Amino acid sequence: MQITPLGDNALVLEVGTVIDESTHRRVQAAWRALAAAPLPAVSELVPAYTTVTLFYDPWAAVQAGAPAQGIADWLGAQVRERLKNPPKMEKTKPRVVEIPVCYGGAFGPDLARVAAQAKLSPEEVIKRHAKADYLVYLIGFAPGFPYLGGLPKELHTPRHAKPRMTVPPGSVGIGGEQTGIYPLATPGGWNLIGRTPLRIFRPEQTPPVLLAAGDHVKFKSITATEFAELQATQ
Amino acid sequence: MRIRKPGLLTTVQDLGRPGYQQYGIVVGGALDSFAARAVNLCVGNDDNAALLEIAQIGPDLTFEQDTLIAWGGADFDARVGGQPLPRDRAVRVAAGEVVSFGLARGGLRAWLAIAGGIDVPLVMGSRTTYRRAGIGGHEGRPLVAGDALKLFEPTPWAKQILAALTSGQKRAVTWTVRPETMGKPARPGVVRALRGPECDWFAKEAQRAFFAAEWTATKEADRMGVRLSGPELPLLKPQEMISSSVNSGVVQVPPSGQPIVLLPSRQSVGGYPRLAAVVSADLGRFTQMRPGDTVRFEETTLASAHDIFLARERDLARVRMGLARLAG
């Protein structure tokens, strides 16, 4: 495992070099092992595809006993020690989160574009998009925005050359090889194929977002009536 | 505290919302956290007390009671009751007196601390305004005319300082806290930076050019970052980075070859190669740069970056101890 400084208050732990499920499992294992008990002076751990980044306060590290001339090495040694002897943790099955989506129509103005690109009927696109099993590799870009792996190849669709000024929250889109859900109204260049009534970002709750890295996602096709009913309960 | 004129972009900030980057939630907070801590210290507040961040055109405001305030950062034409408002120190403002910040004459942003700190609800552990999500701060947005903000009770220390100024009929204390003099400041026009994780991805000449050239701030600048213009910084070979964490101070280089220095309201992850990272002590420089301002990067080691970091913290701790002895 490589440990690289990212400025004077963060270290990047690199546990792999490619995006795949085995790297993802190693990222998750390292993240959980480090998060299980606080490391001195560490304020935050952020997992990504191949890395876990650890943010620390050099001043607090020295107060906690780090030598002023070797703060990063002191911290790195503790990280390696922790990862060599990870705390015993219960094996938990990955969470599967079902996300209801009303596909097409006003909610999915680009469904026809995706269908034309895939040379499939819109119904078949919906079927295949909803049938696949997606893995949340990481959350980033916007609050609760999941970077999902597992979009079937035939549904890969290039982004719009000109992004939309505003994409409504809950929009489900396809951008290149990726599919995802927009948590907030933001500009966006993805092909919108539907919308979920679920709130992806809900700052008043703990945790404040619906999905976490390591979750599995299944989309479920719903009608406009079901969308309205579900939205009323959110 | 009542806002009579809001200024260009006046927001409630504290030291940010750490701990939530794993959910894609930005850290944010006062863009120059050290400057914010310094003014909070002047009025007896905790480092993390909520204060105002002011940008380019400052607000006009009044207080319902006699209050102790302190401001610092860019050079604003700040006034109280028409007279210049002393900076970098505790100042007494009487109930009803108008405090106005006017225009920034040099730099861009300033921070105004009020004894007690601003009383807005904690959202995910912070009072920082998270504008894009519409949460935190005052109703999740920049301040507008007519906004009324509650304040927490000042500390006993602040009350003593205020009482002493009042009985002596003085406007301000004689001591100052000047963050730019603390620690080991960089030479003018220079910021110190570490090599970033993808530094080796760049052609040798590009690495040299980055640390040799004079860089100019462009108009593309906000709380997320500042885009610089200068020599192009090509990669050795075309290479796509796998998205990973970024940090405040990280210099990332998009395919345009023109670097962006990230500031605290940056996203939590990024997909552009991270060429360098500005040391914490010098990051404040980028919060004050106007389009056309120039800067050079000087390479430093992690050990000396930590030395710089610790020197500044030590100085601030010393000032804190000194100020504590003033009252009591």
Side-chain angles (χ1 to χ4, degrees), chain B residues 177-188:
Chain B
V177 176
R178 297 184 54 218
E180 69 277 12
T181 63
M182 292 187 199
K184 300 179 173 177
R187 286 177 289 126

Side-chain angles (χ1 to χ4, degrees), chain A residues 19 24 47-49 134-151 159 175 177-181 183 190 200 211-215 217 219, chain B residues 21-24 241-244 267-271:
Chain A
I19 301 176
H24 171 75
Y49 283 115
Y134 301 95
L135 171 62
V136 180
Y137 277 97
L138 67 142
I139 303 285
F141 169 66
F145 179 89
Y147 286 80
L148 296 174
L151 180 68
R159 293 169 174 80
E177 302 170 16
Q178 298 185 75
T179 186
I181 313 155
W190 289 20
I200 306 300
L211 298 167
D215 286 346
V217 165
F219 292 108
Chain B
Q21 290 190 76
Q22 57 173 295
Y23 303 121
M241 196 183 119
I242 297 175
S243 289
S244 179
Q267 292 172 8
S268 52
V269 295

Side-chain angles (χ1 to χ4, degrees), chain A residues 33-87:
Chain A
L34 296 174
L39 285 159
V42 171
S43 58
E44 181 152 27
L45 296 162
V46 187
Y49 283 115
T50 59
T51 56
V52 177
T53 301
L54 173 159
F55 290 82
Y56 65 97
D57 176 352
W59 176 254
V62 170
Q63 309 298 313
Q69 285 305 308
I71 296 170
D73 290 343
W74 179 82
L75 214 47
Q78 302 201 36
V79 167
R80 289 183 195 279
E81 184 59 30
R82 180 74 67 81
L83 296 184
K84 223 188 299 165
N85 307 298

